[in-house]
Amino acid sequence: MVEYNTAQEVEKDAAYKKELVELLYQLADDDFILAFRGSEWLGIAPHIEEDVAFSSISQDKMGHAVIYYEMLEELGEGKADDLAHLREPKERKNAIILEEVNGPGNYLEEPEYDWAFAVVRNYFYDISKAIRLSSLKNSSYKPLAQVAKKMILEQYYHLTHWNMWFTQLINATDEAKKRMRQAIDKVWKDFDGVLTLGPSAKEMARLGLIKEEQELKDKWMTEIKEVFEKLGVELPTNDGPGMERGDGRNGEHTEDLTTALQTLSEVYKVDPAAGW
Amino acid sequence: MSLFAFDSLTEEEKYDRFLERINAGEKIEADDWMPDDYRKQLLKLIPMHGISEIMGALPEKEWVPKAPSLRRKLAIMSKVQDEMGHGQLLLRVAEDLMRPLGKRREDIMEDLLTGRLKFHNVFHMEAPTWGDAGVIAWLVDGAAIISQTMMLTTSYAPYGRALKRICAEEVFHAQHGEAIVMALAEGTDEQRQMLQDAVNRWWESLLMFFGPDTSKRTGNSNQDKNIMYKLRTKSNEELRQDFLTKYIPRIHSIGLTVPDETLHYDEEEEMWVYQQPDWDKFKQIVSNNGPRSQARLRLREISHENNEWVREALGKKQTMQTASV
Ligand SMILES: [Fe+2]
Ligand SMILES: [Fe+2]
């Protein structure tokens, strides 16, 4: 199987480059938008200790997005900052569930944010991210394999953090149970959007960029089943989560992404050519 | 003196011993005997400082998701996180001091929301542009560094230890602020204007930051007491002078001005002469009547309300994670 050590080497293999770029956009956009949602929580988490911990996790996620965007820059896709701030919603590859607002209100005004949703979304996401990273460790694109190895170390702490919250809340008070149940059902409806690798998943696997989509999905399901069984909680369905609102990998998105992009690029767009 | 001998002293003798100790430069630990009045002063100072760190995260928080590049997004996230961390550190010091009085962290939160506990004047103000995010980190943190460094020698050891950690991080905050400010100062006309407007907006608040020069202006004598208890070594005015000495040249050197035509250094008096801020306005602002006081308090309140179920759930499953504000 082919292996590439640098962005320059990839230049001569157009078919490979196309899939690599596609995968990197998915990875970058997922981490970027979820880190953005995390940053909106800053200052209003359930307690100060959590504010500090959650913020540290969001920074790691944003840091990972930066690494992926910089890899794309190296591959000639344009400036990392432009990729993060200027691309239109339809060009974005992130999963729809990751762009969803944290709850009613706005981060500046009356943020009625839902902590149960934050816990479930982040927990499910970080399980899937850990699985994905451990596959990327063996990617045929060696720069990606290298960074995956580093990210896995951080990922362990994130996973532990969300696992602790999930475990603590799911069997606590009646209200906590109810809210967690609602959050699980909500995330479940669209979480397949995270697990999918989009229309060219097969090609990505064939080129050794990442493992087969189905294999990664099965791993995720196995882990989730184990957690749910251990905690005595029922799965919403036995055949895996859905993709009710569409496939973000295909550029399908909701209004939530449009407003998020407006916010996060508000200052940058004043003058993208200026130094900030 | 043995513990037994100390216990047999009268309150007055204990008080004298206490003053001897701090005058000799000894540090007081949380479990040491201390006069009620000393505890009272600490409980004015430390919860106010702690809650100001937390409320101080809010104006910059407004700019975290909007920071204009990936690098700045990471930097400002980390900066605001540090401020929350400072709040956490200080509230823990305050909790130890409150314990003998039967009070807890929740009481601090309640005092904040009812207006009994005040937070720093600067954090009641608006931060309408990215320029404000730069000026806050550069000059507000710069002012904080000056007052916190002065308190490093505080007679209360746990506070001193917290301040040591805080000051180490503040250096990075000021650098972060300087980097934002420099980028704007060297940028387009629009960027420079954004920066100058922010400096103009913050100037009066920065002068107010150190408090009035004498107790007469606001009728408050804590300054003198705090100097006697070795909680601080410099007066408000000395700190403000230090600030002007450090920052006026820097502000001018990047081509910015301050909105005070009377400002100058008087060589004979060896001090800065400046237009006094409106101290009545200051009193209004710290009484939660500043332009953003209510909106920011509302953010804390709504977080408190929204997460009540989380606190209840954690209360049932008692862990280290339960400390809440
Ligand atoms: Fe601070
Ligand atoms: Fe700071």
Side-chain angles (χ1 to χ4, degrees):
Chain A
M1 192 184 300
V2 297
E3 266 189 13
Y4 291 111
N5 289 304
T6 64
Q8 286 80 358
E9 284 176 27
V10 174
E11 278 312 310
K12 47 189 192 307
D13 189 342
Y16 184 90
K17 184 176 166 183
K18 181 169 166 279
E19 299 312 327
L20 171 60
V21 164
E22 168 67 27
L23 177 62
L24 285 172
Y25 272 125
Q26 291 182 17
L27 297 169
D29 290 346
D30 273 2
D31 274 341
F32 184 61
I33 200 69
L34 193 54
F36 165 80
R37 288 297 177 208
S39 79
E40 289 187 307
W41 267 99
L42 194 47
I44 48 175
H47 50 66
I48 298 178
E49 278 75 3
E50 179 56 26
D51 247 317
V52 174
F54 192 7
S55 171
S56 157
I57 289 174
S58 298
Q59 281 166 64
D60 284 346
K61 263 198 186 84
M62 184 72 75
H64 296 172
V66 173
I67 291 172
Y68 295 133
Y69 285 132
E70 283 174 347
M71 291 176 96
L72 284 161
E73 180 173 334
E74 263 198 286
L75 289 159
E77 287 293 296
K79 252 171 59 184
D81 271 324
D82 288 348
L83 299 179
H85 294 94
L86 299 182
R87 284 157 58 237
E88 295 294 316
K90 62 178 188 315
E91 299 171 87
R92 305 269 169 169
K93 306 281 183 180
N94 63 274
I96 283 181
I97 191 66
L98 305 182
E99 73 203 30
E100 181 146 351
V101 290
N102 292 313
N106 169 288
Y107 82 102
L108 296 170
E109 220 86 26
E110 300 295 304
E112 299 259 359
Y113 286 1
D114 177 356
W115 187 245
F117 178 51
V119 168
V120 173
R121 170 159 71 175
N122 278 289
Y123 184 44
F124 283 13
Y125 178 75
D126 276 337
I127 292 177
S128 122
K129 184 170 165 182
I131 292 169
R132 194 164 286 177
L133 286 175
S134 73
S135 167
L136 291 173
K137 265 194 322 191
N138 302 311
S139 176
S140 58
Y141 187 53
K142 290 300 147 193
L144 184 54
Q146 282 300 325
V147 299
K149 278 178 202 154
K150 275 193 225 144
M151 290 179 191
I152 281 173
L153 299 176
E154 291 174 355
Q155 198 55 21
Y156 173 78
Y157 292 101
H158 303 176
L159 204 47
T160 310
H161 183 84
W162 296 119
N163 174 277
M164 181 200 74
W165 271 111
F166 190 83
T167 310
Q168 275 186 338
L169 293 181
I170 195 118
N171 285 321
T173 57
D174 285 345
E175 171 150 32
K177 278 182 203 169
K178 193 182 93 206
R179 284 174 183 267
M180 289 295 282
R181 185 79 249 168
Q182 279 169 357
I184 290 169
D185 290 340
K186 172 170 162 178
V187 173
W188 199 262
K189 284 186 184 144
D190 280 299
F191 201 78
D192 198 37
V194 174
L195 301 176
T196 182
L197 293 166
S200 56
K202 285 238 159 349
E203 195 54 17
M204 287 179 192
R206 196 187 64 77
L207 294 168
L209 283 163
I210 190 168
K211 284 210 180 94
E212 289 281 355
E213 176 182 295
Q214 195 55 48
E215 191 182 331
L216 299 175
K217 275 189 190 180
D218 291 345
K219 271 203 178 136
W220 186 86
M221 256 320 261
T222 310
E223 279 195 36
I224 288 285
K225 267 186 187 154
E226 237 171 66
V227 172
F228 275 59
E229 245 162 57
K230 206 177 84 194
L231 296 170
V233 188
E234 249 180 84
L235 285 172
T237 60
N238 270 320
D239 52 356
M243 211 190 310
E244 283 190 8
R245 284 177 294 173
D247 187 356
R249 311 297 186 211
N250 233 342
E252 293 163 31
H253 293 287
T254 62
E255 195 47 36
D256 288 354
L257 182 65
T258 309
T259 53
L261 295 179
Q262 273 161 5
T263 301
L264 65 86
S265 64
E266 184 188 299
V267 186
Y268 189 71
K269 276 187 178 163
V270 169
D271 190 345
W276 289 97
Chain B
M1 192 180 292
S2 77
L3 201 58
F4 176 75
F6 185 80
D7 279 346
S8 65
L9 295 177
T10 67
E11 285 295 301
E12 217 179 301
E13 286 165 333
K14 284 180 183 172
Y15 187 80
D16 290 342
R17 286 281 306 157
F18 176 83
L19 283 186
E20 269 170 42
R21 277 190 72 190
I22 57 173
N23 282 328
E26 277 184 53
K27 303 292 177 198
I28 308 302
E29 291 291 343
D31 294 333
D32 291 354
W33 186 90
M34 63 183 81
D36 290 343
D37 189 43
Y38 180 76
R39 189 183 299 275
K40 211 175 104 194
Q41 288 304 317
L42 288 173
L43 281 176
K44 271 189 190 148
L45 194 64
I46 301 172
M48 186 310 187
H49 184 182
I51 212 72
S52 292
E53 296 277 359
I54 288 162
M55 296 307 286
L58 298 180
E60 280 173 289
K61 169 210 156 79
E62 296 172 7
W63 291 99
V64 166
K66 298 182 178 180
S69 73
L70 291 164
R71 206 161 34 114
R72 295 272 184 254
K73 278 184 164 68
L74 286 172
I76 193 169
M77 259 183 180
S78 148
K79 199 262 184 190
V80 178
Q81 178 196 337
D82 281 353
E83 305 298 8
M84 296 299 290
H86 297 169
Q88 176 187 330
L89 216 58
L90 291 165
L91 290 190
R92 285 185 179 167
V93 175
E95 278 168 325
D96 288 342
L97 280 164
M98 295 188 316
R99 198 161 299 120
L101 308 176
K103 293 182 110 190
R104 301 184 309 141
R105 208 196 274 198
E106 281 71 19
D107 298 307
I108 296 184
M109 185 59 196
E110 210 157 278
D111 286 352
L112 170 72
L113 293 178
T114 58
R116 279 182 36 170
L117 176 60
K118 307 213 180 314
F119 59 99
H120 247 298
N121 71 294
V122 278
F123 305 126
H124 295 259
M125 305 311 286
E126 288 171 299
T129 73
W130 174 247
D132 297 77
V135 168
I136 291 172
W138 187 38
L139 296 179
V140 174
D141 282 62
I145 289 175
I146 284 175
S147 73
Q148 287 167 355
T149 311
M150 176 273 294
M151 302 227 267
L152 278 173
T153 56
T154 173
S155 60
Y156 189 57
Y159 190 37
R161 284 190 291 269
L163 284 170
K164 210 174 151 193
R165 266 186 62 183
I166 291 172
C167 285
E169 290 182 351
E170 289 301 341
V171 175
F172 293 105
H173 298 178
Q175 285 170 0
H176 155 80
E178 259 175 59
I180 296 176
V181 164
M182 287 313 290
L184 296 177
E186 290 164 1
T188 63
D189 289 349
E190 195 177 355
Q191 286 177 309
R192 291 186 62 82
Q193 193 57 50
M194 184 190 269
L195 177 60
Q196 181 63 60
D197 289 347
V199 171
N200 295 350
R201 218 169 2 250
W202 283 89
W203 189 247
E204 190 179 33
S205 301
L206 284 162
L207 292 178
M208 288 174 175
F209 179 89
F210 300 97
D213 58 351
T214 68
S215 49
K216 273 173 256 136
R217 291 195 197 272
T218 54
N220 176 330
S221 67
N222 288 322
Q223 257 196 90
D224 308 335
K225 240 182 201 171
N226 285 342
I227 289 182
M228 173 179 85
Y229 284 138
K230 299 244 179 305
L231 297 176
R232 60 186 296 168
T233 53
K234 288 186 180 179
S235 71
N236 292 346
E237 190 54 35
E238 285 173 293
L239 293 172
R240 186 164 27 241
Q241 291 288 326
D242 288 350
F243 175 79
L244 295 170
T245 300
K246 183 171 177 186
Y247 285 101
I248 290 294
R250 296 190 188 191
I251 290 171
H252 288 156
S253 78
I254 55 173
L256 295 170
T257 58
V258 295
D260 176 359
E261 280 167 14
T262 68
L263 180 109
H264 66 279
Y265 189 73
D266 186 325
E267 299 285 348
E268 248 167 60
E269 297 278 325
E270 294 189 335
M271 61 188 292
W272 292 92
V273 179
Y274 56 88
Q275 172 80 53
Q276 281 293 324
D278 180 347
W279 291 108
D280 285 331
K281 196 161 121 195
F282 172 79
K283 269 207 252 175
Q284 282 297 311
I285 290 168
V286 293
S287 308
N288 295 339
N289 295 315
R292 293 291 292 169
S293 315
Q294 292 307 320
R296 298 219 173 98
L297 284 169
R298 176 66 190 144
L299 274 186
R300 289 247 49 95
E301 190 180 49
I302 201 169
S303 150
H304 199 65
E305 285 166 7
N306 267 338
N307 293 314
E308 197 176 343
W309 72 272
V310 181
R311 287 194 302 278
E312 263 168 31
L314 292 179
K316 221 180 154 199
K317 303 205 147 220
Q318 199 68 31
T319 68
M320 282 299 288
Q321 290 285 324
T322 56
S324 68
V325 150

